[in-house]
Amino acid sequence: MDQAGINTETIVKGSVSGPNLAIFAAVHGNETVGVEAFKEILPELNIESGLVNLVIANPLALQQGVRQVNENMNRIFGEGVSSDIPELKRVEELKKILDSSDALLDLHGFNDREGEPFLICESSAYDLAKELPFSI
């Protein structure tokens, strides 16, 4: 459990097999909206089928309240780890989660009061994305 009071990885399983969804929060440690969402939904999260894996992606940065400790995690998902940088080691752990997932929801936040929430997705997800109240 991290200082935010939740586990770095929480798996919720349905009673029937189905798709696996990974939800990442705090890829950037100072973007805490996803962590707050986890705290809010976890006590009542109940799924019928499949698996939801709620993941604190960068717990070290989250604990320190900074965007990143050494590296921007979004920029280092390339192949291979050649360093002792904590984010690189964590990326290798996250890749294993992604390999076993059918979809990823990566939650981020920003502090621009004028900004509008938006969604980035692959073209295969456009039909689903259009149903959500965000710009794509």
Side-chain angles (χ1 to χ4, degrees):
M1 192 166 296
D2 71 5
Q3 289 179 348
I6 63 174
N7 294 322
T8 56
E9 185 176 355
T10 301
I11 297 173
V12 180
K13 293 182 181 181
S15 58
V16 178
S17 65
N20 294 342
L21 171 64
I23 304 177
F24 287 2
V27 166
H28 299 122
N30 63 346
E31 296 177 9
T32 59
V33 67
V35 177
E36 294 304 315
F38 285 2
K39 288 180 186 177
E40 188 171 317
I41 67 168
L42 266 172
E44 298 181 26
L45 183 60
N46 185 13
I47 62 171
E48 293 179 17
S49 65
L51 177 146
V52 176
N53 193 347
L54 301 130
V55 180
I56 303 298
N58 196 341
L60 186 58
L62 177 65
Q63 288 171 350
Q64 294 181 21
V66 296
R67 182 174 177 83
Q68 64 206 37
V69 176
N70 298 102
E71 295 286 338
N72 182 337
M73 194 172 276
N74 270 346
R75 309 288 184 259
I76 58 173
F77 269 84
E79 295 299 317
V81 174
S82 61
S83 176
D84 289 333
I85 293 173
E87 282 97 343
L88 290 171
K89 290 179 179 181
R90 182 65 174 150
V91 160
E92 289 304 307
E93 296 169 2
L94 296 175
K95 284 181 183 180
K96 292 175 186 172
I97 294 169
L98 292 173
D99 287 345
S100 66
S101 298
D102 297 300
L104 167 67
L105 176 58
D106 186 5
L107 304 173
H108 287 268
F110 59 93
N111 295 323
D112 182 355
R113 293 190 186 278
E114 303 291 320
E116 292 184 32
F118 62 92
L119 185 141
I120 300 171
C121 65
E122 295 179 354
S123 59
S124 62
Y126 282 177
D127 287 341
L128 174 61
K130 289 177 188 176
E131 300 297 320
L132 300 172
F134 306 109
S135 298
I136 302 174

